[in-house]
Amino acid sequence: MEDEKLADKLLDRILMVLMPYDQIDVERIKAKLTVVLDDYQICPKQEALVVYTEGKNDYYLRKFLLAKAVAGRQERTLRQYKDEVGRALRGIGKDADTITADDIQVYLAKVLSRGGSKCYCDNIRRDLSSFYNWLYREEIIRTNPMNKIDNIKFKREKEKALTDMEIEVMRQACQTTMQKAIMEMLLSTGCRAAELVSIKIADMDEDKVSILGKGGNWGDGAPEPTVWQARLLPRSRAEMQTTMTMLVEALNCRIRQVGYDPALEDHWNQYWQRTTCLHWDDLKHCTAGCTDCDSCAEYKKIPPQYCARCGATFYERKENTFCLQCRFDRKKQAQRHWCRVNAKRGERP
């Protein structure tokens, strides 16, 4: 009688899991499961057999965190180990040296069923793997259960870069000087948020700021710095200045080759910014009445436009619905359509 009640409870729990799915014939599935379970003896889980020593997991976790701190892990990493590994050990409810691969698989499945993402579950797996690798090296356990658990695959979505319009909107939303400084710092250096908040007054030297990258200084396992970041680093400053000097010499050589002479009558050629100004006209030159771009106070940048056909961003003084490439494609498409319609008459566009 007791086995029948347990079988009914198990059937009800399985059917409750399947209820949210569409096109499920509950009665037919229940009948088939009843036939299958009839070949097995169902008994409740014996919780009394699980040995759990109060404070043993905390002792292991403290020693693990101490070893990682001596190895030079960051405070943020240690805090993550403490939270995730401690939460997993409490959720499983067994001593760390008696936990099996099945226990960890069940725990990860519970986290996933409660709404946790695959990325979060893989982070838990990675933290537990580091913890059990330490237990194995310390000879606290003879076998590592994490060796039987595969990586959790998930699709990483590539972040889209901000458009010029979105950046300008964010600049306009800044209300204080501090907000503007943070905004410009992130845009110009590309540093992480954690690197930004870790900057101290001692890291500032006049107009230079030393930024500590993830995992240490640039070059110690961190990505290569950008040109803007390189000029702030003593290690790469001299090398970058040499490279920039060579670049300037190459540009001056090219200028001499094309015959540039600022003393010529058409002095507008020396101002590159004229091509990005709304007040510039190729025939009338500056329509705002300025004599040179150095003293211009009417400069207005060409606003970005967005193509209604391909969605690309383009810059033109005249307002257009489509970008240049799409206008060309639409023209060719119209010509092909005209030829198909008038093919019988032998006309040409």
Side-chain angles (χ1 to χ4, degrees):
M1 182 64 68
E2 187 67 24
D3 293 343
E4 294 180 359
K5 291 182 178 180
L6 290 175
D8 293 338
K9 290 182 180 180
L10 179 60
L11 279 174
D12 292 339
R13 294 188 65 178
I14 294 175
L15 293 175
M16 288 296 295
V17 174
L18 297 176
M19 283 294 291
Y21 297 95
D22 298 333
Q23 299 178 355
I24 296 295
D25 192 342
V26 178
E27 295 299 331
R28 180 174 296 181
I29 292 177
K30 185 175 182 179
K32 291 184 178 181
L33 288 176
T34 303
V35 175
V36 173
L37 294 176
D38 187 56
D39 297 333
Y40 298 90
Q41 182 179 2
I42 302 174
C43 59
K45 183 179 180 181
Q46 300 295 329
E47 297 291 346
L49 298 177
V50 179
V51 180
Y52 180 72
T53 307
E54 188 69 28
K56 193 174 183 180
N57 288 342
D58 295 336
Y59 172 73
Y60 287 151
L61 185 57
R62 285 197 301 269
K63 290 193 65 176
F64 167 69
L65 294 176
L66 179 61
K68 291 299 180 181
V70 173
R73 298 297 186 271
Q74 297 292 330
E75 182 180 354
R76 182 180 178 184
T77 305
L78 296 176
R79 187 166 57 250
Q80 180 178 349
Y81 281 143
K82 180 180 179 181
D83 294 342
E84 297 301 338
V85 176
R87 188 181 295 112
L89 295 177
R90 290 190 299 271
I92 296 174
K94 296 171 62 176
D95 287 343
D97 52 1
T98 61
I99 291 176
T100 63
D102 292 337
D103 297 328
I104 298 174
Q105 290 280 26
V106 171
Y107 175 75
L108 293 175
K110 289 181 179 179
V111 174
L112 196 61
S113 64
R114 289 196 297 263
S117 64
K118 291 185 178 180
C119 178
Y120 175 61
C121 291
D122 191 63
N123 290 338
I124 297 176
R125 180 205 58 79
R126 188 167 58 249
D127 295 338
L128 287 174
S129 179
S130 179
F131 175 66
Y132 274 96
N133 286 336
W134 174 81
L135 290 177
Y136 182 75
R137 291 195 302 269
E138 294 292 321
E139 298 182 353
I140 298 175
I141 56 177
R142 294 185 177 181
T143 58
N144 188 349
M146 297 303 299
N147 292 336
K148 298 181 180 179
I149 300 178
D150 297 329
N151 298 348
I152 301 175
K153 295 183 179 181
F154 58 93
K155 184 178 180 181
R156 294 183 180 273
E157 295 183 0
K158 187 177 180 180
E159 298 292 340
K160 295 183 178 179
L162 297 175
T163 63
D164 293 341
M165 183 64 69
E166 292 172 339
I167 293 175
E168 194 62 31
V169 170
M170 293 177 65
R171 281 197 176 110
Q172 296 297 329
C174 296
Q175 300 178 355
T176 63
T177 306
M178 175 66 75
Q179 293 176 353
K180 294 179 180 178
I182 292 174
M183 180 69 183
E184 297 301 331
M185 184 73 175
L186 292 173
L187 286 174
S188 58
T189 64
C191 64
R192 300 177 178 87
E195 297 168 356
L196 177 65
V197 299
S198 63
I199 296 176
K200 300 179 179 60
I201 297 179
D203 299 331
M204 301 181 182
D205 182 15
E206 296 180 357
D207 61 340
K208 304 179 183 64
V209 180
S210 298
I211 301 176
L212 184 65
K214 183 178 180 181
N217 294 320
W218 291 108
D220 301 334
E224 288 299 319
T226 62
V227 174
W228 184 270
Q229 292 166 337
R231 76 179 188 86
L232 305 178
L233 302 176
R235 178 180 62 83
S236 57
R237 187 181 302 138
E239 180 182 353
M240 190 209 68
Q241 289 177 349
T242 302
T243 304
M244 296 300 292
T245 302
M246 295 172 60
L247 178 61
V248 171
E249 290 297 330
L251 291 174
N252 289 332
C253 180
R254 180 58 180 165
I255 288 174
R256 290 190 293 269
Q257 289 177 356
V258 299
Y260 167 73
D261 186 1
L264 295 177
E265 182 178 357
D266 189 8
H267 67 282
W268 290 106
N269 290 329
Q270 59 183 311
Y271 302 111
W272 63 268
Q273 61 266 40
R274 73 188 190 282
T275 59
T276 63
C277 182
L278 276 176
H279 298 303
W280 175 258
D281 184 88
D282 293 334
L283 297 178
K284 301 178 182 179
H285 299 318
C286 182
T287 58
C290 299
T291 57
D292 59 84
C293 292
D294 291 335
S295 60
C296 177
E298 302 294 334
Y299 175 79
K300 189 175 181 182
K301 187 178 179 180
I302 301 174
Q305 300 184 53
Y306 305 96
C307 180
R309 186 170 182 261
C310 66
T313 304
F314 64 98
Y315 296 86
E316 291 184 3
R317 292 185 177 84
K318 184 179 178 181
E319 185 175 355
N320 285 297
T321 307
F322 306 100
C323 63
L324 181 62
Q325 182 63 42
C326 287
R327 292 201 298 269
F328 178 79
D329 294 341
R330 282 166 56 87
K331 181 179 179 181
K332 288 295 182 181
Q333 183 180 4
Q335 290 175 347
R336 289 193 296 268
H337 176 71
W338 191 95
C339 290
R340 287 194 299 269
V341 172
N342 300 277
K344 293 182 179 181
R345 295 185 295 178
E347 297 182 9
R348 295 290 183 271

